[in-house]
Amino acid sequence: LLSDVQKYGFYQDNNCYWFETVKGLKRGTNFVMEPLFHISSVLNAKRIYKITNEFGYSQVIELLQKDLIGLSAFRLRIESLGNFLFEASEVELNKLKRYLYEKTDTCFEVTQLGWQKQGFWAWCNGIYNGEFQSTDDNGIVMFSGTKFYLPASSKVYASEDSFFIGERRFKHIRESKVSLNEYTGKLMKVFGDNAMFGVCFYMACLFRDHIVKQFGFFPILNLFGPKGAGKTELAISLMQFFGNQSKGPNLTNTTKAALADHVAMFSNTCCHIDEYKNNIEYEKIEFLKGLW
């Protein structure tokens, strides 16, 4: 305890922090914080902590860097979790930050699932490079000595049904008992030669970054035909290579911002947009040309 006071200006006792002040030792919090990870980012750095109060109640909290640069912002975030009080001043907060920053490991957030330039494939619940490696409860997974953060699988967001909806469908469930030959054979039986082009497009998508680098563009698969011909069903069948996917957004009535988010969610994968019509607004036609 004495060494902690000498180095950091406070010590921990009964899940509370006691700070050294000009008036002697003073209790500054009714909780303690266990550093988990620092998520490194130029624009969106964050830190993850396990916070436990004096009654043993614990939560995992994700703090943006802006939540730690001021006392008011810090209090707002921790008090929103329940009975967590910081009773000291900003001086004591800086002492606590010095300790927490020293003890926190750094990892990197995977912001776009699919192929990663580091050499692995990222699902929402783990990574694949020859074999599947799942994340821990905090959404952390190790690859080649570096830790990566997959927020969709973190227990921080486990109760948030409206977060990471698309990412959570992009999930490694199990090794399939159906071979690629069997699956493509079924597709050919149902969709005929159209399935052949669809499967070729799927294979090309896996190497989209190389193709774009080589040729400067990437083709768009346009599934067209009368109502009930099976256009959407073929698209959904191809999307099942990437988890339990549903049909894509309607191009006509989806906002341009939502479409941009949809296509930016994954890398080197298929992406489905439904219901193209020749009379869609000009900006969306330019959007599709930009994808090409």
Side-chain angles (χ1 to χ4, degrees):
L1 296 180
L2 181 60
S3 62
D4 286 344
V5 173
Q6 290 173 337
K7 184 174 182 179
Y8 300 110
F10 69 92
Y11 72 93
Q12 173 184 330
D13 184 46
N14 291 326
N15 284 352
C16 299
Y17 289 128
W18 292 77
F19 292 91
E20 185 180 37
T21 70
V22 293
K23 296 181 181 181
L25 288 172
K26 174 185 175 183
R27 194 182 89 153
T29 73
N30 72 338
F31 63 86
V32 293
M33 298 176 71
E34 177 188 347
L36 297 179
F37 293 99
H38 164 233
I39 313 300
S40 179
S41 172
V42 175
L43 300 176
N44 194 33
K46 59 191 90 169
R47 295 174 185 270
I48 302 177
Y49 300 99
K50 181 180 179 181
I51 181 170
T52 306
N53 69 12
E54 59 185 324
F55 305 106
Y57 176 68
S58 296
Q59 288 275 30
V60 175
I61 183 172
E62 183 179 281
L63 297 173
L64 298 176
Q65 200 61 49
K66 66 180 181 180
D67 297 327
L68 289 160
I69 62 174
L71 186 57
S72 297
F74 179 69
R75 281 175 170 163
L76 177 63
R77 287 289 288 117
I78 63 171
E79 290 180 22
S80 66
L81 292 179
N83 185 11
F84 300 101
L85 295 173
F86 189 88
E87 301 161 326
S89 68
E90 193 148 359
V91 174
E92 283 71 44
L93 176 60
N94 287 331
K95 293 178 181 179
L96 179 59
K97 283 161 56 177
R98 179 189 171 199
Y99 165 77
L100 294 174
Y101 288 5
E102 281 187 19
K103 304 295 183 181
T104 309
D105 291 333
T106 295
C107 63
F108 299 90
E109 181 174 359
V110 176
T111 57
Q112 188 180 52
L113 299 178
W115 178 249
Q116 308 297 309
K117 63 181 180 181
Q118 291 85 356
F120 62 87
W121 183 273
W123 299 98
C124 78
N125 58 335
I127 65 174
Y128 187 90
N129 183 280
E131 61 180 5
F132 180 71
Q133 182 180 348
S134 62
T135 64
D136 62 18
D137 289 343
N138 298 312
I140 303 296
V141 65
M142 177 84 76
F143 179 76
S144 296
T146 302
K147 293 171 182 174
F148 293 90
Y149 176 51
L150 297 165
S153 65
S154 173
K155 62 183 178 182
V156 175
Y157 300 107
S159 62
E160 301 291 342
D161 294 335
S162 60
F163 288 8
F164 304 110
I165 297 173
E167 289 88 342
R168 285 170 175 166
R169 293 196 190 105
F170 196 86
K171 184 177 183 179
H172 183 281
I173 302 172
R174 61 185 178 276
E175 296 293 336
S176 177
K177 296 180 180 179
V178 179
S179 69
L180 180 63
N181 184 58
E182 289 175 308
Y183 189 70
T184 54
K186 298 288 187 183
L187 288 179
M188 289 286 292
K189 185 176 181 180
V190 175
F191 299 105
D193 287 346
N194 291 328
M196 181 169 58
F197 287 99
V199 172
C200 289
F201 181 76
Y202 156 71
M203 294 293 183
C205 284
L206 300 178
F207 303 95
R208 183 183 186 279
D209 53 344
H210 290 290
I211 294 171
V212 170
K213 185 177 180 181
Q214 179 72 23
F215 299 104
F217 71 92
F218 189 82
I220 295 175
L221 180 63
N222 181 22
L223 302 174
F224 64 93
K227 183 178 178 63
K231 306 181 295 297
T232 300
E233 292 306 317
L234 175 56
I236 294 174
S237 297
L238 295 174
M239 293 299 299
Q240 299 313 299
F241 285 112
F242 305 106
N244 185 21
Q245 301 289 335
S246 59
K247 71 176 183 178
N250 188 309
L251 182 60
T252 303
N253 56 26
T254 303
T255 66
K256 293 187 286 291
L259 287 171
D261 288 342
H262 177 68
V263 300
M265 202 175 296
F266 310 114
S267 174
N268 281 25
T269 69
C270 294
C271 179
H272 179 222
I273 301 175
D274 205 23
E275 297 296 340
Y276 170 84
K277 295 180 176 62
N278 286 332
N279 62 353
I280 62 171
E281 55 187 292
Y282 178 74
E283 288 83 359
K284 290 181 178 176
I285 292 176
E286 291 298 306
F287 167 78
L288 295 176
K289 287 169 60 179
L291 297 183
W292 177 83

